[in-house]
Amino acid sequence: MSQSWSVEAIGRLREQQDLPFVRADSNGLVMEVNQRFRDIYGWSDADLLGQSLGLILPPSFRDSHHAGFARFKLTEVSRVLNHPLKLATYCADGRAIESEHFIVAEKHGDGSWSFAATLRPLS
């Protein structure tokens, strides 16, 4: 079962300045990244904000990522939330960096969700 995180918990996750941070809306569109994310993965806000999270994921994983988002919207159950997930993260220049993603979900008062993650580069 998924765990809903509070706004305060998402804020604490965001404030871990030593780790790259990304936040997306319920459609999987990037809403925010921190400076550490920009520094390590090379994306600018102009390139990433409002775009699909799929841009930073391995091409072979993108279809299952989009299916997982759709499934979560229907069931509100996920196997990838609240525990480390090892996955390559794609950089703006096309390189892939093996990273540990820790993804959390936040349910808003209107019933919509947002998602946030820290990414720990492993290489």
Side-chain angles (χ1 to χ4, degrees):
M1 183 141 170
S2 66
Q3 172 184 350
S4 176
W5 282 50
S6 67
V7 172
E8 294 81 18
I10 296 290
R12 285 192 299 275
L13 191 67
R14 178 185 298 113
E15 291 164 9
Q16 294 180 11
Q17 294 299 317
D18 59 324
L19 291 176
F21 171 87
V22 60
R23 184 175 61 88
D25 67 10
S26 61
N27 294 313
L29 301 179
V30 177
M31 304 306 295
E32 174 184 4
V33 295
N34 68 359
Q35 187 59 49
R36 190 76 171 136
F37 183 94
R38 291 183 206 95
D39 293 343
I40 291 175
Y41 300 108
W43 292 98
S44 71
D45 286 351
D47 291 334
L48 203 54
L49 297 183
Q51 301 300 313
S52 171
L53 276 172
L55 287 177
I56 67 169
L57 300 175
S60 63
F61 185 74
R62 291 176 185 163
D63 286 343
S64 59
H65 165 76
H66 295 305
F69 250 91
R71 187 172 43 254
F72 183 83
K73 288 169 87 171
L74 293 173
T75 66
E76 296 188 355
V77 175
S78 173
R79 293 183 296 217
V80 300
L81 295 176
N82 306 315
H83 62 83
L85 174 67
K86 190 184 290 189
L87 187 65
T89 304
Y90 273 72
C91 302
D93 65 8
R95 290 177 303 122
I97 297 175
E98 189 74 20
S99 303
E100 180 183 86
H101 297 214
F102 188 85
I103 308 164
V104 298
E106 174 186 8
K107 190 169 188 177
H108 303 283
D110 65 1
S112 67
W113 287 86
S114 62
F115 301 88
T118 56
L119 295 84
R120 183 183 312 275
L122 299 174
S123 53

